[in-house]
Amino acid sequence: MLTDESLDFARAHITAFYDTDFYPKPFEYGAFWYFWDEVKEHLKKAKPAELFVGPPKAIAWPKARGGYRVVHQLEPLDAIVYVALTHSVAEQIAEARMGPEVACSYRMSVDESSFFGEGSGFNLYRARCEHLSGEYRYVLSTDISDFYNQIYLHRVGNAIESATGDRNAGLQIEQFITRLNNKASQGIPIGPAPSVVLAEAVMIDVDQHIQSMGLDHVRYVDDIRIFADSRKELERCLEDLVIYLHENHRLNVVGDKTSIKRTSEFLHDELKNHYQLEKLEILHDIEVTNPYSAHVEDDYDEDDEGEEDGEARDPGEVLLDALTRVRKFGMVDLAVIRAIIRRAKAKRIEDIAELLLREIEFFAPAANDVVLYLARLSDFQLLGFLPMFIDGCAHGRYDRQCVRIWMEWLFSHRSVLLSDRTIQKFIKTKGSVVAQATAAITTRNLAWAKSAKGKILSHASWDRRSYLHALSVLSGDELNKFIPTLLKHSAMTPTDLWVAKWIAKGRPEPKLPDIFMDNEIPF
């Protein structure tokens, strides 16, 4: 399943987008892309059981409406394998799904770098709900409890086999995720795009089962809406669906999110209430683009802004007004917040930065987008917010895991921020080894880099490679004496060796095809 085509897609996908929605992109990919031919040969020759480096990182990430979920970042080499394995079955899964009028979420159209060339599908989901509400009197709303974490991996394998006709494909992906889970048979990683593809595969037979009951329905990931003219018919459908999910997937529905309503009530409560209408107005004002398009940054044009009283409004004013209105909702609407932030990021508009920093605890569920936006600003722009950064460090506003990993990433890459002692202390006392090593490289801290030499072999995985990364600060002569000895050590993994050789060469930039673009911030 690991071919030149699937592996090259993995490189293009991770370069153009991300390896997970929730963490900064690791520096190790620079080494992989530079030694790409070696990496590919290594992966193609590996036995299936050898396609695993180590357990993913995991942190608690706040949900938009309260509570937390555990999100993941795979070891970089594992992330490449996960994307490549999924790429090999994605098109067949897409063909096996029900049409977009039913399975609305994340319509798969695999191109050079994306699984979802046709976007997230949420607007289609909304339109179908409105259309069916006009045809029927009642609607059953339900969703699946803790969906990604509750998916049984054997069902993933079965779903892939059913879609592809290839038992080996399903088995290999099932066994790979089982290794990621430390042999647990339940749950797929939350964050990587391949998990969305596999989750959609798991839901294929659920859509078919609902259709077999003769009822119209729409589904967005695990949110299901079923329509009928009879409340009793929907009650029978719900009972049948609960049994089917339990017996065939060991999944359960969320009790307080399950209801049967008149469609008129449903339209008012979920689609046409004051909040939803204002949300649509905000999205219209900023003309949101498809966030899964590789060219999202290029779609923005200041000339497209609306007009008020015959004069074009300032883009910064429009975005700040939109964000202020969203803040007054009192709850985090990720779709709208991300749309606003990505618009500001595209043109480096600083107007919304003060509100985001002042209210960072409220915007924590969107911490990744907030910090990627801040990273797009110039050093001069960031200096204007230095007092707010200092205040956030001093008063613990960045202590939540999701905020900390992103703020330490920003701080450790920007010398203009590392010049402040409070921020230095934040990195030293609260920052990860990854952030400390990056800060040492950014500030050319020879003392930290020299001390890292003695810590490499006593650490493993992410920390080991971070200490290796810090050696970039050392002189060529010192590197030439130290790295060859390190390369001979039996404890060094293939990833360690590629990183060490890359550093010895001075961390050269890989030559990538023109189709690649990095939506993160190159420093």
Side-chain angles (χ1 to χ4, degrees):
M1 294 174 68
L2 296 184
T3 64
D4 284 334
E5 181 186 3
S6 66
L7 289 167
D8 285 339
F9 173 86
R11 177 175 62 151
H13 174 77
I14 292 171
T15 301
F17 298 101
Y18 46 76
D19 61 342
T20 175
D21 282 338
F22 299 102
Y23 289 79
K25 195 178 295 183
F27 72 86
E28 287 90 338
Y29 291 113
F32 289 154
W33 305 159
Y34 185 77
F35 293 108
W36 185 233
D37 288 340
E38 287 184 33
V39 174
K40 281 202 295 185
E41 288 306 308
H42 169 81
L43 292 174
K44 287 192 294 183
K45 291 178 180 178
K47 298 176 181 178
E50 296 171 343
L51 295 176
F52 171 64
V53 174
K57 287 183 180 179
I59 60 169
W61 195 277
K63 294 182 179 181
R65 299 179 186 276
Y68 287 83
R69 57 178 167 170
V70 176
V71 300
H72 304 93
Q73 182 173 46
L74 276 58
E75 280 275 348
L77 203 60
D78 290 337
I80 293 172
V81 171
Y82 193 32
V83 174
L85 289 175
T86 304
H87 173 266
S88 66
V89 299
E91 290 185 343
Q92 290 158 297
I93 290 172
E95 291 174 3
R97 296 172 70 193
M98 295 190 71
E101 71 282 355
V102 174
C104 302
S105 47
Y106 299 100
R107 299 307 303 178
M108 291 174 226
S109 178
V110 180
D111 56 26
E112 296 96 336
S113 61
S114 174
F115 287 111
F116 313 117
E118 296 181 11
S120 68
F122 187 78
N123 288 338
L124 177 60
Y125 167 74
R126 179 187 172 89
R128 285 295 297 166
C129 283
E130 288 197 47
H131 173 74
L132 291 172
S133 292
E135 291 194 351
Y136 295 97
R137 295 173 61 196
Y138 295 96
V139 57
L140 163 62
S141 301
T142 191
D143 71 6
I144 297 171
S145 176
D146 201 16
F147 179 45
Y148 277 49
N149 282 326
Q150 298 302 318
I151 291 174
Y152 271 89
L153 300 185
H154 190 55
R155 270 70 178 186
V156 173
N158 288 345
I160 292 169
E161 181 182 350
S162 295
T164 64
D166 185 347
R167 182 177 184 277
N168 178 64
L171 186 62
Q172 191 167 333
I173 292 176
E174 176 188 340
Q175 291 177 343
F176 177 73
I177 303 175
T178 301
R179 292 192 290 272
L180 291 179
N181 287 358
N182 195 24
K183 298 184 179 180
S185 62
Q186 199 173 7
I188 61 176
I190 297 177
S195 293
V196 177
V197 177
L198 300 184
E200 287 299 316
V202 168
M203 294 299 289
I204 289 172
D205 70 293
V206 177
D207 287 331
Q208 293 169 341
H209 178 74
I210 297 172
Q211 187 183 55
S212 72
M213 290 187 275
L215 297 173
D216 281 330
H217 80 286
V218 291
R219 179 181 58 79
Y220 193 84
V221 191
D222 60 327
D223 285 331
I224 301 169
R225 305 290 182 261
I226 306 172
F227 295 82
D229 283 323
S230 166
R231 181 184 290 272
K232 287 187 176 181
E233 188 174 12
L234 289 178
E235 288 172 351
R236 287 193 296 270
C237 170
L238 176 58
E239 291 177 346
D240 187 280
L241 179 61
V242 167
I243 293 297
Y244 184 84
L245 288 171
H246 173 74
E247 290 184 344
N248 293 278
H249 293 278
R250 286 297 187 265
L251 295 172
N252 299 299
V253 300
V254 182
D256 59 3
K257 292 185 179 180
T258 299
S259 65
I260 297 174
K261 297 180 178 179
R262 287 186 175 274
T263 50
S264 57
E265 183 184 359
F266 166 76
L267 281 172
H268 178 269
D269 290 349
E270 296 195 28
L271 300 180
K272 293 186 176 180
N273 57 41
H274 174 73
Y275 161 70
Q276 291 292 342
L277 294 175
E278 185 169 3
K279 170 181 169 179
L280 289 175
E281 182 183 333
I282 292 171
L283 289 173
H284 179 267
D285 285 347
I286 65 171
E287 297 182 55
V288 60
T289 59
N290 171 17
Y292 288 93
S293 165
H295 302 288
V296 65
E297 303 296 353
D298 300 327
D299 291 338
Y300 182 78
D301 186 344
E302 290 183 15
D303 294 335
D304 290 339
E305 293 295 343
E307 295 185 355
E308 185 175 293
D309 298 329
E311 296 182 2
R313 294 181 64 193
D314 175 74
E317 177 188 337
V318 172
L319 294 172
L320 179 59
D321 175 67
L323 191 65
T324 302
R325 289 162 68 186
V326 171
R327 177 62 184 94
K328 290 178 180 177
F329 290 161
M331 62 181 181
V332 177
D333 191 307
L334 287 176
V336 181
I337 289 171
R338 284 170 175 163
I340 296 167
I341 292 173
R342 289 172 185 179
R343 280 298 195 183
K345 174 186 166 189
K347 288 295 182 180
R348 295 177 170 85
I349 296 171
E350 66 179 67
D351 300 57
I352 67 171
E354 182 177 347
L355 176 56
L356 290 172
L357 287 169
R358 188 172 65 246
E359 301 279 356
I360 189 64
E361 290 161 304
F362 173 81
F363 291 111
N368 46 355
D369 281 289
V370 170
V371 175
L372 285 172
Y373 153 71
L374 293 171
R376 183 72 67 170
L377 301 181
S378 68
D379 283 352
F380 178 78
Q381 288 172 310
L382 286 179
L383 270 176
F385 301 107
L386 184 59
M388 298 190 75
F389 287 125
I390 294 170
D391 186 69
C393 290
H395 293 90
R397 293 197 182 94
Y398 308 145
D399 286 357
R400 293 176 82 171
Q401 292 177 345
C402 66
V403 177
R404 189 185 70 244
I405 62 169
W406 280 98
M407 293 305 295
E408 70 176 32
W409 174 81
L410 175 65
F411 293 155
S412 65
H413 280 92
R414 301 298 279 265
S415 57
V416 69
L417 300 177
L418 286 171
S419 62
D420 179 80
R421 289 186 178 182
T422 302
I423 292 177
Q424 292 172 14
K425 183 179 178 182
F426 176 84
I427 293 292
K428 183 177 180 179
T429 59
K430 297 182 179 181
S432 64
V433 173
V434 175
Q436 292 175 28
T438 305
I441 295 170
T442 301
T443 59
R444 308 296 297 175
N445 188 332
L446 272 172
W448 203 97
K450 287 179 179 293
S451 69
K453 290 169 63 177
K455 299 176 181 178
I456 292 170
L457 294 176
S458 60
H459 290 76
S461 189
W462 301 90
D463 288 353
R464 171 182 289 181
R465 298 191 299 267
S466 296
Y467 287 123
L468 271 171
H469 197 203
L471 302 187
S472 306
V473 177
L474 303 179
S475 68
D477 182 62
E478 193 168 359
L479 278 177
N480 289 336
K481 290 179 180 177
F482 184 71
I483 294 290
T485 303
L486 206 57
L487 294 176
K488 297 175 183 177
H489 203 284
S490 60
M492 297 283 280
T493 68
T495 301
D496 297 337
L497 294 173
W498 283 313
V499 168
K501 289 191 295 182
W502 180 61
I503 287 166
K505 287 179 174 290
R507 296 185 300 163
E509 288 290 330
K511 294 180 180 179
L512 298 175
D514 291 339
I515 63 165
F516 291 8
M517 64 172 286
D518 192 349
N519 284 344
E520 228 173 83
I521 312 300
F523 288 99

